[in-house]
Amino acid sequence: MTNSRISGFYNLTLDERRAKLADDSNLTPEDLLPWITGGLSAEAADHMIENVVGMHALPLGIGLNFMVNGKDVLVPFAIEEPSVVAGASFMAKLARAGGGFHATTSEPQMIGQIQVINVANLNEARLKLYERKAELLATADAIDPILKKFGGGARDLEVRVFEDSPIGGFLVIHLIYDVRDAMGANAVNTACEKLAPQIEAITNGKVHLRILSNLADRRIARARCTIPVNELTMGFESFKGETVRDGIIAAWAFAATDPYRAATHNKGIMNGVDAVVIATGNDWRAIEAGAHAYAARSGKYTSLSTWNKDKDGSLVGTLEMPMAVGIVGGATKVHPAAQAAVKLMGVKTASELAEIIVSVGLAQNMAALRALATEGIQRGHMSLHARQVAVAAGASGELIEKVAAQMVAEKVVRVDRAEEILKGMRT
Ligand code: MEV
């Protein structure tokens, strides 16, 4: 069983971290190879997109301390931004004291959209489509026998009427499709295209677009965590837990009220979400599109998360968002680094992966709000940078923190100063 609490991981060398990961997870040293080489050969890349000339790499770091639904999980992050992995790992540590993250998902249902134009009587056509719903669903259901074997397939059909548009009225049919462990775009697009002739015959209209919607609001992942108020002072001894808690709640209220702040607040959530989505070879543009459209579903763009306190005074965070990720197709299947990421987390279904990702998003949001609501974001960045400089100057063990803290206090973060401080501490 994975233990996500690997102490001192940060201070190890790259090789030591890899060895530790192979010891403490279900990955073998061979499984780690794709993360050493980048995982993709130029030949494999040439089969993935057009006009390939090479590869573009990102750092791959491990998020620690995560416990999701009572299970420890080591989380792979593919991201270029400093502080994200450290921030999420630290918040996951605080969340453990309250039982970790509790996460659920809805059924993995995606929506396919079929636009029908040139319809003489929109409402009549709408009702005719409902009358023939069973046969339409049967056609859509038959397109993917494998998906069907695993319990997926067509679930429902909804017809929407748009009376006024720049081209006049048209119909939009929503095909609701259970895609199980796939992201689902292929199955849904195929099903929508397959339905077109039947729909034209029923409506006497012309089928125009047939495409998946990225507003996957029937495929929602939800996470919540409870942080006992005394935990909120950890590493922040100059702040009272209540001050940190109330500061986080006030920061969330800002995002809940103001779209300008909500965009940045949600960007912080996506720092964590996208990093895991990318590490697992999933389509992060689809996740981004779904997240922001969902955040604006009331007509006003707002925060995807909520932060409040419970009757014991603990901080309670929640996050709900669309999570159209898969584990069986696309780059997830062909990219060896993505395969290692899926194996590391031990996920057997797309829903389990979605539950981890939404938990990471919540941890990341809290990391940002905690910093913003107290000492500001720059000091955190500076401390991380200072620790790197301290290590570069030769500090190890406890001295890393001490040297880093002094440089931050002096607001001079340079290797030459770190060397001087280190010398002073050793004599
Ligand atoms: C930076 O990448 C993310 C933050 O701006 C998020 C936020 O402001 O909540 C720190």
Side-chain angles (χ1 to χ4, degrees), residues 30 34 183 219 237 249 252 307 315 322 336-337 361 388-389 426:
E30 290 70 42
M183 184 275 183
R219 196 177 189 182
E237 280 68 23
I249 296 171
W252 161 71
W307 291 97
L315 179 69
Q388 282 162 2
V389 172
R426 279 179 174 152

Side-chain angles (χ1 to χ4, degrees), residues 228-259:
V229 74
N230 56 319
E231 290 294 316
L232 290 167
T233 56
M234 199 195 284
F236 253 13
E237 280 68 23
S238 52
F239 290 93
K240 281 176 64 186
E242 287 77 5
T243 311
V244 180
R245 177 198 65 202
D246 296 345
I248 290 174
I249 296 171
W252 161 71
F254 183 6
T257 314
D258 175 16

Side-chain angles (χ1 to χ4, degrees), residues 208-277:
H208 194 46
L209 299 199
R210 297 143 293 167
I211 187 75
L212 172 104
S213 169
N214 287 125
L215 175 48
D217 63 357
R218 303 179 71 117
R219 196 177 189 182
I220 299 293
R222 304 180 169 93
R224 91 182 149 81
C225 65
T226 303
I227 322 281
V229 74
N230 56 319
E231 290 294 316
L232 290 167
T233 56
M234 199 195 284
F236 253 13
E237 280 68 23
S238 52
F239 290 93
K240 281 176 64 186
E242 287 77 5
T243 311
V244 180
R245 177 198 65 202
D246 296 345
I248 290 174
I249 296 171
W252 161 71
F254 183 6
T257 314
D258 175 16
Y260 283 90
R261 172 59 204 150
T264 324
H265 176 100
N266 291 341
K267 190 273 182 182
I269 293 171
M270 302 313 285
N271 275 344
V273 168
D274 285 342
V276 190
V277 169

Side-chain angles (χ1 to χ4, degrees), residues 77 268-278 284 287 319 321-323 357-358 360-362 364:
F77 283 61
I269 293 171
M270 302 313 285
N271 275 344
V273 168
D274 285 342
V276 190
V277 169
I278 292 169
W284 55 271
I287 300 295
L319 174 60
M321 58 187 291
M323 196 56 73
I357 296 175
V358 72
V360 170
L362 187 57
Q364 206 70 59

